Amino acid sequence: MYGWRGRIGLLVPSINTTMETEFWRIAPQGVSVHVARISGGRHGTPEELRGMEDASKRAAKDVAMVEPDVVVYGCTSGSFFEGPEWNRRICEQLTGIAGAPTVTTAGAMVEALMANGHKKVDVVTPYVELTNERLKQFLKAHDIEVPTLATFDMLDMFDHAKIEPGDIYRKVKEITTPRSDAVFVACTQLRAMEVLDHLERDLGKPVYSAIQATAWQAYQAMGIDPGVTDCGSLLCRLSGPGALKQSPRPLRRSA
């Protein structure tokens, strides 16, 4: 059976064309990725983002059939929009349905930033103003300040995938301030992972992306080092003695 080391149950918005591809790109031998789609979310309106909570429960029921070792709720705005308590509730609900620990992208974002001691983080997003404000509030609730936020200001979330990695690279370089400890690129529809190494070398500070941070926490939950060395320093830190911060969760059955 595929997934003899671990199986990831990945829940993504139905319009997302990026996260599934990038999760498969970094999956090591023995790890499989099984995707269920969350209806809605194309225009990122408050109503759509709230509606994705119920839609994610239906998706979790489907992905539960593969007995995943971790469930990933792969939408940044869909997990931070209504604040930390909303994010916590999503985790509890999906864990109850799928019978596996749940990682949300918003939760992984703050876990990665806090684990590395970052208090001031510049942010790049594709979002509109309301969503950007909710993101800053979410980070503030975790004592993380945003000195600068820059956006591509695109309402249609399908179009976020059309932003080229080079555009993300240039946007990050344009807005990063000496005041920040790190940079975070939000949205699981952005192709940011392939420029993280370049940005870290050129800026001399950590640069994280939504998909990278989510993968980092998912692999921690499974107790697996994916051996990724070309997607930013965060995933590299999973390597080495004692690097995994959580004990491996026993697989429910071997195959």
Side-chain angles (χ1 to χ4, degrees):
M1 177 185 287
Y2 288 105
W4 50 267
R5 286 175 75 189
R7 292 187 289 279
I8 298 172
L10 176 60
L11 313 181
V12 294
S14 54
I15 50 86
N16 191 295
T17 61
T18 303
M19 192 172 194
E20 179 179 2
T21 303
E22 295 202 343
F23 257 57
W24 269 116
R25 173 194 162 196
I26 66 173
Q29 185 177 10
V31 173
S32 56
V33 182
H34 307 274
V35 181
R37 302 239 158 215
I38 304 170
S39 300
R42 175 155 188 162
H43 296 103
T45 63
E47 293 74 22
E48 282 189 321
L49 292 173
R50 293 182 189 115
M52 286 174 63
E53 180 184 0
D54 284 335
S56 70
K57 297 176 191 176
R58 294 189 290 272
K61 289 179 182 178
D62 291 337
V63 86
M65 300 301 289
V66 303
E67 298 184 5
D69 296 289
V70 65
V71 172
V72 171
Y73 182 84
C75 181
T76 321
S77 54
S79 47
F80 72 65
F81 194 79
E82 292 291 356
E85 179 60 26
W86 194 48
N87 178 68
R88 184 193 62 78
R89 187 174 73 230
I90 289 172
C91 288
E92 289 183 351
Q93 290 172 344
L94 300 185
T95 294
I97 292 168
T102 298
V103 169
T104 69
T105 300
M109 169 182 67
V110 295
E111 287 294 329
L113 296 175
M114 292 192 301
N116 291 287
H118 303 313
K119 292 293 186 180
K120 296 182 179 180
V121 181
D122 291 325
V123 176
V124 168
T125 88
Y127 306 136
V128 295
E129 183 178 1
L130 173 60
T131 309
N132 287 328
E133 287 302 313
R134 293 293 183 93
L135 174 55
K136 287 192 285 187
Q137 290 171 19
F138 189 86
L139 290 171
K140 185 178 180 179
H142 293 88
D143 297 318
I144 299 170
E145 178 187 344
V146 180
T148 305
L149 186 148
T151 179
F152 291 96
D153 193 24
M154 299 170 69
L155 184 61
D156 191 325
M157 296 177 101
F158 184 76
D159 288 342
H160 295 175
K162 299 176 184 178
I163 299 170
E164 293 294 327
D167 297 328
I168 297 167
Y169 173 89
R170 286 185 289 272
K171 181 75 80 174
V172 170
K173 287 199 71 177
E174 285 169 6
I175 66 99
T176 301
T177 64
R179 292 180 57 207
S180 66
D181 307 318
V183 183
F184 188 83
V185 182
C187 187
T188 59
Q189 183 77 313
L190 290 186
R191 286 176 54 197
M193 280 214 304
E194 56 203 274
V195 297
L196 296 180
D197 276 352
H198 300 295
L199 284 166
E200 290 191 332
R201 284 194 294 267
D202 294 347
L203 295 174
K205 65 177 69 179
V207 182
Y208 306 125
S209 80
I211 295 175
Q212 174 216 45
T214 308
W216 169 79
Q217 195 174 33
Y219 279 100
Q220 289 230 31
M222 291 191 294
I224 293 173
D225 178 3
V228 178
T229 59
D230 61 350
C231 294
S233 59
L234 180 66
L235 284 171
C236 289
R237 292 182 194 129
L238 278 170
S239 303
L244 289 169
K245 297 182 180 179
Q246 299 182 31
S247 299
R249 187 175 78 88
L251 297 180
R252 282 173 293 189
R253 65 181 184 185
S254 59

